[in-house]
Amino acid sequence: MIVRPMKPTERETVAEIYLRDRQRYFPWVAQPNITDFARDSRGEALFVAEINGQIAGFASLLRVMDFIHLLFVAPEFQHQGVGHALIQRMRQEAVGTLTLKCVIDNEAALRFYASEGFAIKREARIAVPANYTLIDTVKAR
């Protein structure tokens, strides 16, 4: 597996991964669209995980805040270490301590982030959707 900066020619493939997950798991988004990715990742550093020439997942980093805004793994590549590899790359890219937000009801993602060393820093139950801000407790290696 290789984790590297996203190439402009990969934008559509990454946008499709983003759209598929939002359609399946983001009921609060009224009408997800393929064009949402460009808007939602504007100004962020984008990285892809590649396995055998295929984009397996991606992450976006808002560098000014060391904030992981987006981290998505294509369903066919889940449970293969893609998320872990993306987190490791984000740690290398960050200047300070990484943070991210995770929906409170997304128990699988919360378990994943806990296994990667993230801890709950803040709770926003009145937000839509309700979410936790998580902070990385592991230093980059």
Side-chain angles (χ1 to χ4, degrees):
M1 180 180 333
I2 300 167
V3 178
R4 57 171 175 72
M6 183 188 82
K7 298 173 186 172
T9 56
E10 297 166 329
R11 184 167 291 280
E12 188 171 330
T13 300
V14 171
E16 287 171 6
I17 293 170
Y18 185 54
L19 177 61
R20 267 192 302 178
D21 261 23
R22 292 176 84 225
Q23 288 170 329
R24 291 178 67 193
Y25 303 115
F26 288 39
W28 60 89
V29 178
Q31 295 178 326
N33 189 291
I34 193 80
T35 60
D36 295 345
F37 176 72
R39 179 198 64 224
D40 294 349
S41 64
R42 185 172 294 123
E44 298 174 1
L46 293 159
F47 297 86
V48 296
E50 178 184 329
I51 298 176
N52 298 324
Q54 289 189 286
I55 303 300
F58 74 92
S60 73
L61 180 68
L62 184 57
R63 289 186 188 276
V64 68
M65 298 174 62
D66 287 327
F67 180 77
I68 299 173
H69 180 217
L70 307 171
L71 193 152
F72 289 83
V73 176
E76 60 272 24
F77 290 101
Q78 290 182 355
H79 308 291
Q80 296 182 35
V82 175
H84 172 75
L86 288 164
I87 292 287
Q88 289 298 97
R89 180 62 186 256
M90 295 300 97
R91 286 178 173 138
Q92 292 170 359
E93 296 291 327
V95 174
T97 303
L98 287 170
T99 60
L100 59 88
K101 289 189 179 187
C102 186
V103 174
I104 289 174
D105 289 339
N106 191 342
E107 294 174 7
L110 289 169
R111 281 192 304 275
F112 165 73
Y113 289 123
S115 75
E116 290 293 323
F118 284 80
I120 296 171
K121 177 181 178 182
R122 192 173 314 124
E123 182 177 316
R125 290 217 176 255
I126 60 171
V128 177
N131 64 76
Y132 293 123
T133 299
L134 305 178
I135 187 167
D136 191 8
T137 64
V138 178
K139 297 289 182 200
R141 297 173 190 155

